[in-house]
Amino acid sequence: MRRLAIAIIGLAFLIVAPAGPAAAKDDSLAPKLRAALVRLHVTSQSYERTAPWKLGNEYTRTGRGVVVGDGLILTKASIVANQRMIEISIANSARRYPGTLRHVDRRIGLSLIAFEDKDLKEALGALPLGEPVKLDDEFDIHYLGRDNIPERTTAQVIRAIAGSTGLDLQLRASLEGSGDG
């Protein structure tokens, strides 16, 4: 069985698995990955900087997440900043499901989003967290690209920096078409 790890890269939230000949031959992981990856559509609204008592214009952002438990999605905290509405979509589908912010930890930069929809719970499967990625490791990155189509690329950890807000990984990878390199 292939080892899994989770990495947060730029604006993308991705699932990673070791690369190499064994990874290329074993496609049994692909359905589990597709069933755990989601795209998040977040409508946010912050206060005006020059008039902090007034709300500014609404704006939207998209991000990615991974199902880590029954009705729970793990994603970056920055995706849900100043959120007013969270919607979830899955691979190969334009339908959006409602989500609610369960918890944000800004210090480590992660958040949990909950969802209740029965159909969505049936369509998704939780992916357990696996072994951490180490320096110079090569691994596959699985993510939802444009139009919610599952995509894969290979990456390598070239630098890891521990800071007061968490761990940043610098990778050598190409995420064509995602805009999130």
Side-chain angles (χ1 to χ4, degrees):
M1 173 138 182
R2 295 184 341 178
R3 181 184 96 183
L4 293 179
I6 293 183
I8 299 172
I9 306 166
L11 298 177
F13 189 85
L14 314 165
I15 300 298
V16 297
K25 293 178 188 172
D26 181 13
D27 286 332
S28 64
L29 187 59
K32 291 178 184 176
L33 289 170
R34 275 194 279 284
L37 293 172
V38 298
R39 181 171 294 237
L40 302 168
H41 309 271
V42 180
T43 302
S44 300
Q45 187 176 27
S46 56
Y47 287 92
E48 295 283 345
R49 290 184 182 184
T50 57
W53 55 90
K54 292 183 183 178
L55 283 171
N57 293 330
E58 284 188 348
Y59 55 95
T60 58
R61 65 169 59 104
T62 59
R64 297 178 177 99
V66 63
V67 178
V68 293
D70 186 33
L72 289 175
I73 297 167
L74 181 67
T75 191
K76 291 179 62 177
S78 61
I79 299 297
V80 296
N82 302 313
Q83 60 84 31
R84 296 280 186 228
M85 180 175 68
I86 299 172
E87 295 175 306
I88 303 159
S89 64
I90 59 175
N92 302 318
S93 174
R95 183 173 174 195
R96 293 184 181 187
Y97 301 86
T100 56
L101 185 60
R102 171 74 63 85
H103 181 75
V104 176
D105 189 330
R106 297 200 194 291
R107 190 167 101 48
I108 62 170
L110 295 174
S111 63
L112 280 175
I113 295 170
F115 60 92
E116 299 293 327
D117 191 278
K118 236 180 1 180
D119 293 337
L120 185 59
K121 284 184 180 183
E122 287 177 14
L124 295 173
L127 195 63
L129 301 180
E131 297 296 318
V133 177
K134 297 180 184 107
L135 199 59
D136 295 326
D137 275 357
E138 280 196 2
F139 51 89
D140 290 333
I141 298 176
H142 298 264
Y143 61 99
L144 290 183
R146 293 187 180 189
D147 300 322
N148 278 356
I149 305 296
E151 297 183 29
R152 178 173 78 176
T153 190
T154 300
Q156 179 182 21
V157 179
I158 57 175
R159 193 166 126 183
I161 303 167
S164 61
T165 59
L167 177 66
D168 291 327
L169 297 178
Q170 185 177 359
L171 304 179
R172 180 176 293 124
S174 173
L175 303 177
E176 284 188 44
S178 71
D180 300 326

